[in-house]
């Protein structure tokens, strides 16, 4: 019987459990429901700011006002640029339509005759001024079918020998109808014209050869009338290179070449 009774000193089997993770003051991890570890970070209370400081709030308001003004300015600038571009495009489109409808052509200018008096190079010296006068006859032509040319007041004509301004006069005011040729006379007068010895000798030699070169320039303000539409004032510059046989009396015009310059109109 003694062999079947267990003794009090017999050993029992034991199960060892894994050690528990130690707690940390700043972070801890614990398994979530899905088995993924979740990390928790603790921030000291003195580092948490619930509202910005007063000076930062003032800076933010000031910055917001500046941004608002800049946005308004950019919007106005874009609107202004768009409006100007639209106006410019409209003007260009209207001008293109009028150009293709009317086909504007440049007017023609011709210097037909010159009557010169008071210009005697032999009596001129460095101390003796001349008072030349020229009666010029000019012819203007308007080759356009439906365009009238309105010559305004304030036009001027000047006559030159080389770079010496001999005399000047006025371009008359008149209206030139389509397909019209207008001939008019104008008087050019000068005073106190002094010739150097080199210029005087050159004029005398040109008179001996019966080929005296002169230049007649005109600055004429005009308006263009297309139907019921009248343009703004446009300055037409006319330049004529002529050669005459003499500087006394009615000079024979041996050659003439005139051209008009308006740059953007014709």
């Amino acid at each position: 019987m003694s062999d079947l009774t267990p003794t009090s000193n017999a050993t029992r089997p034991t199960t060892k459990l894994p050690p528990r993770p130690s707690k940390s003051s700043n972070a801890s991890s614990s398994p979530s429901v899905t088995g993924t570890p979740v990390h928790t970070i603790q921030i000291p209370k003195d580092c948490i700011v619930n509202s910005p400081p007063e000076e930062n709030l003032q800076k933010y308001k000031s910055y917001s006002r500046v941004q608002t003004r800049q946005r308004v300015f950019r919007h106005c600038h874009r609107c202004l640029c768009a409006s100007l571009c639209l106006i410019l495009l409209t003007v260009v489109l209207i001008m293109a339509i009028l150009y293709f409808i009317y086909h504007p052509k440049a007017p023609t200018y011709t210097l037909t005759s010159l009557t010169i008096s008071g210009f005697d190079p032999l009596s001129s010296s460095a101390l003796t001024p001349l008072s030349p006068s020229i009666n010029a006859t000019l012819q203007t032509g308007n080759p356009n079918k439906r365009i009238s040319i309105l010559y305004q007041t304030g036009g001027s004509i000047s006559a030159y020998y080389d770079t010496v301004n001999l005399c000047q006069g006025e371009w008359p005011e008149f209206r030139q109808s389509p397909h019209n040729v207008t001939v008019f006379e104008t008087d050019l007068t000068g005073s106190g014209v002094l010739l150097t010895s080199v210029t005087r000798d050159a004029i005398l030699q040109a008179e001996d050869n019966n080929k005296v070169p002169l230049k007649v320039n005109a600055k004429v303000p005009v308006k263009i009338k297309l139907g019921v539409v009248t343009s703004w004032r446009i300055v037409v510059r006319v330049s004529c290179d002529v050669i005459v046989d003499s500087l006394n009396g009615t000079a024979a015009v041996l050659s003439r070449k005139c051209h008009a310059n308006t740059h953007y109109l014709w």
Side-chain angles (χ1 to χ4, degrees):
M1 296 294 294
S2 61
D3 294 335
L4 298 175
T5 304
T7 60
S8 60
N9 295 329
T11 61
R12 297 179 181 178
T14 61
T15 302
K16 294 183 179 181
L17 298 176
R20 296 182 178 178
S22 59
K23 296 183 178 180
S24 175
S25 60
N26 294 331
S28 64
S29 62
S30 61
S32 63
V33 178
T34 59
T36 305
V38 177
H39 299 276
T40 303
I41 300 176
Q42 296 181 355
I43 301 175
K45 292 183 178 181
D46 55 353
C47 295
I48 300 175
V49 180
N50 295 325
S51 60
E54 186 65 25
E55 58 272 12
N56 291 353
L57 183 61
Q58 296 298 329
K59 291 180 181 179
Y60 174 77
K61 291 181 178 179
S62 176
Y63 179 76
S64 299
R65 287 193 295 268
V66 171
Q67 290 294 323
T68 302
R69 286 196 296 267
Q70 289 179 351
R71 284 194 296 269
V72 173
F73 176 76
R74 286 194 295 266
H75 179 71
C76 294
H77 185 264
R78 291 194 204 99
C79 292
L80 180 61
C81 292
S83 301
L84 292 178
C85 291
L86 183 60
I87 294 173
L88 181 61
L89 183 62
T90 303
V91 171
V92 171
L93 183 61
I94 293 174
M95 294 296 291
I97 293 174
L98 293 177
Y99 182 85
F100 285 109
I101 291 176
Y102 289 94
H103 296 286
K105 298 178 182 179
T108 59
Y109 300 94
T110 305
L111 185 62
T112 58
S113 65
L114 292 174
T115 302
I116 306 171
S117 61
F119 192 82
D120 186 5
L122 292 176
S123 64
S124 174
S125 64
L127 300 177
T128 305
L130 297 175
S131 298
S133 63
I134 297 177
N135 178 266
T137 303
L138 293 98
Q139 175 181 298
T140 67
N142 181 9
N144 297 281
K145 295 181 180 179
R146 291 177 289 180
I147 298 177
S148 298
I149 302 176
L150 311 179
Y151 289 92
Q152 307 294 301
T153 58
S156 61
I157 308 176
S158 300
Y160 294 85
Y161 175 83
D162 196 11
T163 58
V164 181
N165 189 350
L166 302 177
C167 48
Q168 50 278 334
E170 295 183 356
W171 187 287
E173 177 187 5
F174 61 92
R175 171 176 178 157
Q176 192 170 30
S177 302
H179 274 309
N180 176 266
V181 176
T182 303
V183 179
F184 65 91
E185 294 183 1
T186 183
D187 292 325
L188 286 68
T189 58
S191 61
V193 178
L194 296 175
L195 300 178
T196 63
S197 58
V198 175
T199 302
R200 184 174 60 253
D201 294 341
I203 293 175
L204 292 174
Q205 184 177 359
E207 280 193 307
D208 291 340
N209 297 329
N210 293 327
K211 291 183 179 180
V212 182
L214 296 176
K215 181 181 286 293
V216 178
N217 296 335
K219 183 179 179 183
V220 188
V222 302
K223 289 184 178 182
I224 307 301
K225 187 174 180 60
L226 303 89
V228 296
V229 179
T230 303
S231 72
W232 57 91
R233 285 169 64 98
I234 302 169
V235 177
V236 178
R237 299 180 185 274
V238 183
S239 179
C240 295
D241 295 317
V242 298
I243 296 178
V244 296
D245 63 344
S246 175
L247 293 177
N248 289 308
T250 301
V253 180
L254 304 178
S255 68
R256 60 181 68 84
K257 184 180 179 181
C258 299
H259 68 276
N261 187 4
T262 57
H263 297 292
Y264 55 85
L265 185 59
W266 292 293

